[in-house]
Every structure is written in structure tokens, then in C-alpha cells.
Amino acid sequence: MYNSEKRTITTERLILRPFALSDAQRVSELCNNYNVYKSTLTLPHPYPIDCALSWIETHEVEFNNDNSYEFAITDKNTNELYGAIGLRNNRTHRNGELGYWIGEEQWGNGYATEATKAVINFAFTEKHYHKVYARFFASNPGSGRVMQKSGMLKEGVLLQHIYKENEFVDLIHYGILNTGATN
């Protein structure tokens, strides 16, 4: 459920909320994990606190300008920060790219799937997108399972599309249409 005043999305176990500058240390800790880095498109490694601070500082303007929506994935009861999920807005085509990461110690708990379903719902009901899409490295099949469990369908493979860590890697593309949308 989306609360527009607080800009939060509440699910069964999670609260997706705006990041605060006080989250920067934890973001830096989670993103400095090599296994998180190697499964993401844009995270640098190492990931110093300055990167986290500058990233968080962009969120308010981007949200207010309807360019992108970044949420901290947190535990509903403890407020522990598990990761991040974001949605980029492509107004021209009424779609958006979804991206997420979860700290490695929380992998396998279903948090990415729960957050992904909630953000897809946000995209369709609040932002009236026609489509949401996401991509993952072929070497990260867990991310593909998150997309599948969230109702997304495989649309194709971009062969050797990304150069990461001195090799070309495949990028697998998934998407979901808003079947309730009107044109």
C-alpha cells in the first residue's frame, strides 16, 4: 500500500521508504560486498560512504521531478535496511526500468520479490505506467527468479551486451505489461 504523504510502500514484511542521509553508512557497508557489486550494472567497487551520500542526495529532486523513485527496503518491525529498489520513469513511452539490490546476508528471504511486486504495483496504480522492465546478468539467475515470481516475462537476451570485469556478459531482459491500463 502506497502512502503518498510519507512516500512509503508497506508490504507484509517490509516498508519501502525514502533513503535518509543517516542510511549512508549502512548502504556503504552493504554495497562494499563484492557479490553485490558483481550482480549490479552500475555500483562501483569499492563503494565508499561518499558515494552513498552523493547517491542519496539525488533522490529528492529525482522523485519530485518524476524522473526516478528510489526506496530503501527496510524491515517493517525493526527498520533494518536490507537493500534498495528503484524505478526510472520514461514518460515518453510510459514505462520504467526497475532495479534493486539486497545485502548478501538477506539473500534468499524473498525480500527482493516482495519489494519488486510492490514497486510494480506502485508503477501501475500510482504512476500509470504501461510497462515495467528489468534486466539481469546471466550469471545471476537468482535475480531472474525474482522477476519471474513478480509476474515478469522473459523478453530476450542481449548477447555480450555489458563489459564487466574484463569480459562481455549477457544481459537478460524481463518485462510486465499493465493489463489494466487504458491508453
Side-chain angles (χ1 to χ4, degrees):
M1 171 188 287
Y2 181 64
N3 179 323
S4 59
E5 189 175 308
K6 294 182 180 179
R7 293 198 329 217
T8 59
I9 301 172
T10 304
T11 68
E12 182 182 339
R13 301 177 296 162
L14 304 171
I15 294 179
L16 310 181
R17 61 163 175 80
F19 277 91
L21 290 177
S22 59
D23 293 318
Q25 181 61 46
R26 185 67 177 143
V27 168
S28 177
E29 292 165 6
L30 293 171
C31 291
N32 265 318
N33 180 310
Y34 177 77
N35 291 324
V36 172
Y37 155 77
K38 75 178 185 177
S39 65
T40 61
L41 272 172
T42 58
L43 280 181
H45 192 268
Y47 195 90
I49 193 167
D50 291 350
C51 282
L53 287 167
S54 62
W55 176 65
I56 292 168
E57 287 173 344
T58 67
H59 295 176
E60 183 76 16
V61 169
E62 292 294 301
F63 197 102
N64 289 338
N65 289 335
D66 275 334
N67 292 329
S68 65
Y69 318 101
E70 296 286 345
F71 297 97
I73 301 171
T74 65
D75 184 275
K76 190 176 190 176
N77 298 316
T78 67
N79 201 35
E80 181 183 351
L81 178 64
Y82 293 152
I85 188 162
L87 184 67
R88 182 148 302 278
N89 187 8
N90 183 335
R91 284 183 281 283
T92 302
H93 302 293
R94 293 177 47 211
N95 69 32
E97 182 175 10
L98 182 80
Y100 51 82
W101 57 263
I102 300 286
E104 186 175 15
E105 63 268 19
Q106 297 299 336
W107 289 1
N109 291 318
Y111 298 134
T113 301
E114 191 171 326
T116 297
K117 287 178 178 180
V119 172
I120 289 170
N121 185 60
F122 166 81
F124 290 161
T125 61
E126 299 296 325
K127 298 300 175 183
H128 310 290
Y129 285 17
H130 176 69
K131 180 179 183 175
V132 172
Y133 67 94
R135 304 172 294 167
F136 68 96
F137 295 131
S139 60
N140 184 14
S143 194
R145 285 190 295 278
V146 166
M147 294 173 198
Q148 291 166 1
K149 290 176 185 176
S150 300
M152 300 177 96
L153 300 174
K154 183 176 177 180
E155 296 183 338
V157 178
L158 303 172
L159 297 174
Q160 298 184 17
H161 193 71
I162 300 294
Y163 189 70
K164 185 159 182 148
E165 298 201 299
N166 300 316
E167 68 176 326
F168 290 98
V169 294
D170 295 350
L171 204 56
I172 303 174
H173 193 102
Y174 271 68
I176 186 169
L177 297 175
N178 183 357
T179 56
T182 56
N183 292 330

